[in-house]
Amino acid sequence: MITIALSKGRIFEETLPLLAAAGITPLEDPESSRKLILPTNRDDVRLIIVRASDVPTYVQNGAADIGVAGKDVLNEHGGMGLYQPLDLNIARCRMMVAVRNDFDYESAVKQGARLRVATKYVTAARDHFASKGVHIDLIKLYGSMELAPLVGLSDVIVDLVSSGGTLRANDLKAVEHISDVSSRLVVNQAALKLKRAAIGPVLEAISQAIVQ
Ligand code: ADP
Ligand code: MG
């Protein structure tokens, strides 16, 4: 049995065509099904639906053989014990620093002010501001980062942005680009050795189907 860990939403939807190229089709839709283990057209392949940030944990521990996780998530997790053979070039977005429209970020940084940074991505935020020599107080959040500067919880946020629509809707502006983010395939290293006959062709088919 091959177990593939995916998160709902964007990653699931954009992974579907890649799985189809490997001859794998889920028999249920995770958006309507309440099942967390989804059978596929192949008796020897199943999907498990987990929180995006939990994908590396399932694969690292061998509870899933393969997973799809954003670079943002892998960077925070550290990627220990994970083989990362393919950038799938899906769920593309950018890790950005954003502030309120009326916040003068350049001056705050120039003056050496201590910035309060709210984010889910504490490793990315710490690394980014350390490389700029900017001192920060980190405020760890689990979602809706856009709210933090609006209610005075933080000066800046570090968050993922694609269209910028959410920033605009909340009177925020992006002021720095930290990194480009897309999702990668992650594979359990032991599973790759022990199940190479089954996993190898799946990786090969997916790699052929990646759209650059
Ligand atoms: P969760 O709600 O489970 O915390 P998200 O739904 O925010 O996670 O995102 C899941 C993954 O999708 C992220 O790890 C990231 O790689 C990707 N992602 C997040 N935001 C965007 C975006 N705006 N555009 C494209 N991909 C995104
Ligand atoms: Mg979400």
Side-chain angles (χ1 to χ4, degrees), residues 29 46 50 66 69 80 112 115 117 128 142 153 155 165 177-178 195:
D29 174 2
R46 62 179 181 175
V50 305
I66 299 174
M80 267 252 301
L115 291 177
V117 181
H128 175 70
Y142 293 88
L153 179 63
D155 304 308
H177 171 238
I178 297 178
K195 304 186 189 175

Side-chain angles (χ1 to χ4, degrees), residues 135-180:
H135 292 286
I136 60 168
D137 293 315
L138 266 178
I139 300 157
K140 162 86 184 186
L141 293 178
Y142 293 88
S144 300
M145 269 79 83
E146 294 87 358
L147 182 60
L150 303 180
V151 293
L153 179 63
S154 75
D155 304 308
V156 323
I157 61 171
V158 169
D159 198 5
L160 296 176
V161 179
S162 47
S163 70
T166 307
L167 292 183
R168 271 193 301 279
N170 290 291
D171 298 317
L172 301 173
K173 60 184 177 188
V175 288
E176 253 166 14
H177 171 238
I178 297 178
S179 62
D180 288 325

Side-chain angles (χ1 to χ4, degrees), residues 5-7 33 38-39 112 125 158 161 188:
L6 296 175
S7 53
S33 172
L38 301 182
V158 169
V161 179
N188 177 276

Side-chain angles (χ1 to χ4, degrees), residues 2-71:
I2 305 179
T3 302
I4 303 176
L6 296 175
S7 53
K8 274 197 218 179
R10 234 169 325 240
I11 288 182
F12 186 87
E13 280 146 30
E14 297 189 32
T15 301
L16 275 184
L18 299 173
L19 289 178
I24 299 166
T25 315
L27 298 182
E28 282 182 62
D29 174 2
E31 297 300 340
S32 52
S33 172
R34 288 167 182 248
K35 282 191 189 160
L36 298 175
I37 301 181
L38 301 182
T40 73
N41 62 315
R42 277 176 55 170
D43 286 342
D44 64 333
V45 180
R46 62 179 181 175
L47 308 183
I48 61 172
I49 304 301
V50 305
R51 192 74 193 259
S53 45
D54 290 334
V55 166
T57 306
Y58 278 85
V59 177
Q60 175 182 35
N61 290 287
D65 302 300
I66 299 174
V68 176
K71 281 179 194 163

